[in-house]
């Protein structure tokens, strides 16, 4: 996955959903922090879709303790042929975490995998300029800069879409979305403004973030809106 165009990922903790995802997804996000035996899942994986691996730290809204072992697991994961991208938190790359994730980025690149650098705000959405600055910072550390914020109003979504358009028009590869009910529609609209990655569960009961559409619905929405633009 090089994210040269919009890439829709079936997000979840079980690679067993891959056959059901093939019709609508371009890849799978394996949330290792939510999964049972994620490395064993990768060892056994014989699916068609490429995999992005994420091992989300607790301080970024995930379930993984901020330990060297969290990063060790990601280094082992990117050595699998099916793994063509890895998600690393901006904070873990810029020295804010207890452990530097730079070694994972290096191992990913050695294995030909893309690096998605992510930052989240689970409380609010900054203003447009602050979002643009965060996205620029993330883009500097990897192949795609990603931001997911929490929208409380249409103005929050407008700020995210404006920053998305600004960075994309400047040639940066970004992925953006607004979490929560007020931000939900951003998941279908942001690709029109340059967002390169979408995340959606096959089963809506298995959502990995607030406000996600299920995979088939998001694919349908994005395709319909893109065909009309
Ligand atoms: O960072 C992201 C984006 C996300 O939080 C979302 O809002 O869809 C879902 C996560 O699984 C993924 O790692």
């Amino acid at each position: 996955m090089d994210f040269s165009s919009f890439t829709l990922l079936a997000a979840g903790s079980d690679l067993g959903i891959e056959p059901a995802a093939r019709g609508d997804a371009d890849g799978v996000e394996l949330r290792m922090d939510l999964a049972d035996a994620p490395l064993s899942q990768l060892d056994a994986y014989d699916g068609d879709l490429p995999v992005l691996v994420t091992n989300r730290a607790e301080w970024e809204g995930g379930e993984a303790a901020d330990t060297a072992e969290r990063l060790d697991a990601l280094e082992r994961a990117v050595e699998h042929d099916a793994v063509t991208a890895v998600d690393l938190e901006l904070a873990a790359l810029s020295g804010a975490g207890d452990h530097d994730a730079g070694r994972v980025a290096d191992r990913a690149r050695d294995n030909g995998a893309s690096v998605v650098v992510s930052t989240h705000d689970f409380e609010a959405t900054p203003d447009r300029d602050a979002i643009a600055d965060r996205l620029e910072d993330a883009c500097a550390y990897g192949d795609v800069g990603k931001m997911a914020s929490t929208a409380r109003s249409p103005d929050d979504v407008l700020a995210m879409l404006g920053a998305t358009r600004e960075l994309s028009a400047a040639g940066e590869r970004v992925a953006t979305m607004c979490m929560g009910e007020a931000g939900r529609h951003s998941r279908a609209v942001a690709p029109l403004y340059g967002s390169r990655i979408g995340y959606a569960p096959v089963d809506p009961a298995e959502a990995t973030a607030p406000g996600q559409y299920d995979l088939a619905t998001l694919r349908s929405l994005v395709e319909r809106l893109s065909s009309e633009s």
Side-chain angles (χ1 to χ4, degrees):
M1 287 183 274
D2 66 5
F3 307 106
S4 57
S5 59
F6 177 70
T7 303
L8 180 54
L9 300 181
S13 60
D14 179 3
L15 289 176
I17 56 93
E18 190 270 346
R22 285 179 197 163
D24 292 308
D26 303 303
V28 178
E29 179 195 34
L30 176 61
R31 281 289 301 270
M32 296 173 66
D33 59 302
L34 304 176
D36 293 333
L39 292 174
S40 298
Q41 287 194 48
L42 287 169
D43 289 340
Y45 183 67
D46 63 354
D48 296 340
L49 295 176
V51 180
L52 175 149
V53 288
T54 300
N55 200 7
R56 189 69 71 226
E58 288 168 335
W59 38 260
E60 190 88 12
E63 298 292 324
D66 183 13
T67 63
E69 289 72 21
R70 175 177 87 94
L71 301 178
D72 294 346
L74 284 168
E75 281 199 80
R76 287 179 54 196
V78 298
E79 292 176 350
H80 286 263
D81 291 342
V83 176
T84 63
V86 61
D87 178 299
L88 296 170
E89 298 83 6
L90 173 58
L93 289 166
S94 58
D98 291 342
H99 301 273
D100 179 8
R103 62 182 168 101
V104 180
D106 293 342
R107 183 66 61 90
R109 294 188 179 100
D110 291 346
N111 285 276
S114 300
V115 177
V116 177
V117 180
S118 59
T119 182
H120 303 74
D121 188 328
F122 291 92
E123 298 301 325
T125 296
D127 65 33
R128 170 174 162 160
D129 289 345
I131 296 170
D133 289 346
R134 282 241 320 248
L135 285 170
E136 280 182 337
D137 289 347
C139 288
Y141 283 94
D143 303 293
V144 182
K146 178 177 83 176
M147 183 166 183
S149 70
T150 300
R152 305 289 183 192
S153 72
D155 297 320
D156 286 341
V157 178
L158 279 177
M160 184 62 78
L161 293 176
T164 304
R165 175 61 183 160
E166 179 182 334
L167 272 287
S168 181
E172 296 287 4
R173 285 189 182 176
V174 295
T176 59
M177 64 282 304
C178 290
M179 298 182 282
E181 284 311 304
R184 195 172 209 221
H185 65 284
S186 72
R187 298 176 182 276
V189 174
L192 302 179
Y193 289 77
S195 179
R196 297 294 180 93
I197 310 174
Y199 298 81
V202 170
D203 177 350
E206 301 296 322
T208 59
Q212 287 179 328
Y213 291 106
D214 67 85
L215 180 67
T217 298
L218 185 55
R219 172 61 80 190
S220 174
L221 288 171
V222 170
E223 285 193 344
R224 178 71 185 271
L225 290 173
S226 300
S227 69
E228 296 168 350
S229 64

